[in-house]
Amino acid sequence: MRIRVIDSHTGGEPTRLVISGFPDLGRAPLRERRARFRSEFDHLRAAIVNEPRGSDAIVGGLLCDPHDQSCQTGVIFFNNVSVLGMCGHGTIGLVATLAHLKRLEPGHIRIETPVGIVSAELHVTGAVTVRNVPSYRYRKDVELRVPGFGSVTGDIAWGGNWFFLVKAESPIELSLRRLDELTAFTWSIRQTLERHGITGEHGGSIDHIELCGPPRDSTANSRNFVLCPGKSYDRSPCGTGTSAKIACLYEDGKLQQNELWIQESITGSVFEAHIERHGTEIIPFIKGWAFVTSEADLIIDERDPFRWGIPA
Ligand code: PYC
């Protein structure tokens, strides 16, 4: 079996876009196709993004025909443990990849995802702006007792995935040298949320945890560390996490419509973001850059004992 992929990175965070070779998931809305992906093709998810062909950091994107005919394409994002709702860095990677394939000129594209329609603008410079799904805060000032770390307060917010955004400045320096401690702290927050049955709206699992602190680049507003569902950290500033964050800032009156917010990641890469209000909806816009790093055929050999990845 051969699966055609194109790899890119957005602010250091890798995206592996599946161009062809994946079984047909039908023509249903992407939310239903994602359920089918999860129940029938989880072995392929692991084969595509996990070792020995990938790594914990890679986010996969399965390019699909859209169900919604107002869209030019559809995508189902997935990672080292499961499928995702939306992915900001991945959408920037997708657009840069379509441009690399000469399937897209500068301009706008509508993209169907399992959690709604997003759109993106490919700028003549190569930068990409994503108009994300409506984002909002679900619960404010949720207090947790995190074993080994004490009391932690944060907001639960939606930006295309569910986030717990720690309110106070990170008690651990947001530096790559401190990755083990940052991971232990945020993983412990996630486990505490699960232990207490604290979820997003409609029982949505809060599988992303975000810490913030002062930026190193004086032109940025904030630096973050985002723990992803499979215990990897986002090398980019996290498009859905930045969306959740600026939705909270807007609701707190700390960010106005169209005001620029520059979010720096733990690796120093940045996204530019702003909010537009449309009726009752808060719409985040995220701008960043992605670069194609390789084109490949993944080969799945039936004699290979690790053809579906290395079992956990
Ligand atoms: O950019 O939205 C994002 C994202 C989610 C998980 C990793 N990156």
Side-chain angles (χ1 to χ4, degrees):
M1 183 174 188
R2 277 176 186 262
I3 298 177
R4 183 89 186 136
V5 298
I6 299 193
D7 286 353
S8 61
H9 80 85
T10 309
E13 179 77 350
T15 305
R16 176 163 284 174
L17 196 68
V18 177
I19 304 299
S20 61
F22 199 92
D24 188 8
L25 295 176
R27 294 291 170 274
L30 282 198
R31 178 177 289 277
E32 289 168 39
R33 272 186 261 173
R34 178 179 64 165
R36 194 162 166 217
F37 183 134
R38 185 166 29 201
S39 62
E40 292 176 36
F41 299 109
D42 197 58
H43 57 294
L44 273 177
R45 174 197 60 72
I48 293 166
V49 291
N50 288 356
E51 291 182 29
R53 294 179 196 79
S55 79
D56 281 352
I58 295 183
V59 171
L62 174 63
L63 207 54
C64 302
D65 288 335
H67 171 80
D68 186 312
Q69 291 306 303
S70 72
C71 295
Q72 285 74 47
T73 191
V75 66
I76 299 170
F77 289 112
F78 51 100
N79 61 17
N80 56 338
V81 287
S82 191
V83 288
L84 278 165
M86 226 305 271
C87 181
H89 93 267
T91 305
I92 295 171
L94 178 156
V95 170
T97 299
L98 293 180
H100 169 80
L101 290 171
K102 308 253 181 296
R103 292 191 195 173
L104 195 66
E105 295 291 327
H108 290 85
I109 177 173
R110 278 170 68 83
I111 305 164
E112 185 180 349
T113 80
V115 294
I117 293 171
V118 303
S119 62
E121 180 178 3
L122 172 64
H123 301 273
V124 283
T125 56
V128 177
T129 300
V130 176
R131 181 192 201 268
N132 198 4
V133 292
S135 300
Y136 62 99
R137 176 162 53 206
Y138 172 56
R139 287 181 64 189
K140 186 177 162 89
D141 290 344
V142 176
E143 274 190 47
L144 304 174
R145 285 237 144 252
V146 183
F149 297 94
S151 170
V152 174
T153 303
D155 290 349
I156 297 171
W158 173 255
N161 296 300
W162 282 109
F163 286 80
F164 186 84
L165 300 145
V166 175
K167 200 167 189 111
E169 215 170 81
S170 172
I172 303 163
E173 187 199 355
L174 296 179
S175 149
L176 288 172
R177 284 193 306 275
R178 311 284 299 271
L179 276 182
D180 288 350
E181 293 153 88
L182 291 164
T183 303
F185 178 40
T186 46
W187 189 249
S188 193
I189 293 173
R190 172 145 183 221
Q191 288 178 315
T192 305
L193 290 165
E194 278 177 7
R195 213 173 27 253
H196 293 285
I198 300 171
T199 67
E201 205 173 10
H202 310 303
S205 163
I206 305 170
D207 51 9
H208 292 75
I209 314 294
E210 183 164 342
L211 304 174
C212 285
R216 292 205 183 154
D217 179 340
S218 59
T219 62
N221 296 91
S222 158
R223 185 176 177 91
N224 71 11
F225 170 87
V226 177
L227 183 79
C228 296
K231 219 176 178 180
S232 170
Y233 70 95
D234 198 332
R235 280 75 172 155
S236 85
C238 193
T240 51
T242 300
S243 297
K245 164 103 187 161
I246 60 175
C248 293
L249 288 168
Y250 175 75
E251 289 188 21
D252 285 335
K254 293 181 178 162
L255 188 73
Q256 307 306 311
Q257 273 205 74
N258 291 314
E259 188 181 339
L260 178 65
W261 179 266
I262 302 183
Q263 184 64 58
E264 182 181 82
S265 73
I266 186 82
T267 64
S269 55
V270 291
F271 285 162
E272 293 178 8
H274 70 271
I275 286 290
E276 280 183 19
R277 175 118 205 184
H278 293 265
T280 55
E281 293 185 335
I282 299 171
I283 311 288
F285 290 75
I286 307 291
K287 183 176 181 187
W289 283 83
F291 298 93
V292 169
T293 51
S294 74
E295 299 181 344
D297 278 344
L298 304 181
I299 297 171
I300 298 176
D301 183 331
E302 63 182 19
R303 296 164 305 176
D304 177 358
F306 291 141
R307 63 191 179 285
W308 308 126
I310 298 174

